[in-house]
Amino acid sequence: MIEGFEKQYAAVSTDLKTGREIWFTKGPIIEAVWASISLPGLFPAIRNDSKWLVDGGLVNPVPISVCRALGADIVIAVNLNGNIAGKHFEQPRKQPAQKNSVTDLVTDLVREYTGNLFPSAEESDQPPGLFDAIAGSVNIAQDRITRSRMAGDPPDILLSPRLAHIGLLEFYRANEAIDEGQQCVQRMLPEIHHVLKID
């Protein structure tokens, strides 16, 4: 349970009906995390307290306001959306050899249909797949929302790891992402020491 944590914890989700932020500060951690990452089009919405909840990043991608509300004196924020807009279209994605998911089947159908309507010999002129279109759209929205919210409520320190080359569902590249996170902190150490008044 979240209440048993030594440090304060909160997860943010979005009420699918009202668009309001829902903060999880107590209750089962699994439910809180699952509701906070339920990305529309990829993961199902989660039912909680008569509400259907989806990813909190839709309304508050970098929840600085939550940290301040929980009493944080200094907020060190990590922005994972710094350079994600358009990243799915920089180079064609390699398709896996085997396609078993519903998303893969739908993507192939859409590509075949649009290819017949608008034939093109150029690979670059082919429409993006269903997954790429959904992920790219969410990335753009989160990037714009992040910029807007941080302009009104900036953190004391902002960490922006360079993760645009890692796909949304490439969980097998976790070590690569963690390494970049550590390097990002190293790059920002002088600023962190200054803000925290560490000699």
Side-chain angles (χ1 to χ4, degrees), residues 89-110:
F89 305 102
E90 292 174 2
Q91 56 185 1
R93 290 194 337 134
K94 293 182 180 179
Q95 296 296 326
Q98 295 181 342
K99 300 179 181 182
N100 300 319
S101 72
V102 174
T103 301
D104 290 329
L105 295 175
V106 172
T107 299
D108 287 344
L109 286 174
V110 171

Side-chain angles (χ1 to χ4, degrees), residues 168-188:
L168 186 63
L169 298 180
E170 293 180 335
F171 302 120
Y172 61 91
R173 300 178 72 179
N175 287 337
E176 190 177 342
I178 291 169
D179 288 343
E180 168 53 23
Q182 292 173 337
Q183 292 175 32
C184 179
V185 171
Q186 290 298 317
R187 292 192 295 268
M188 290 293 293

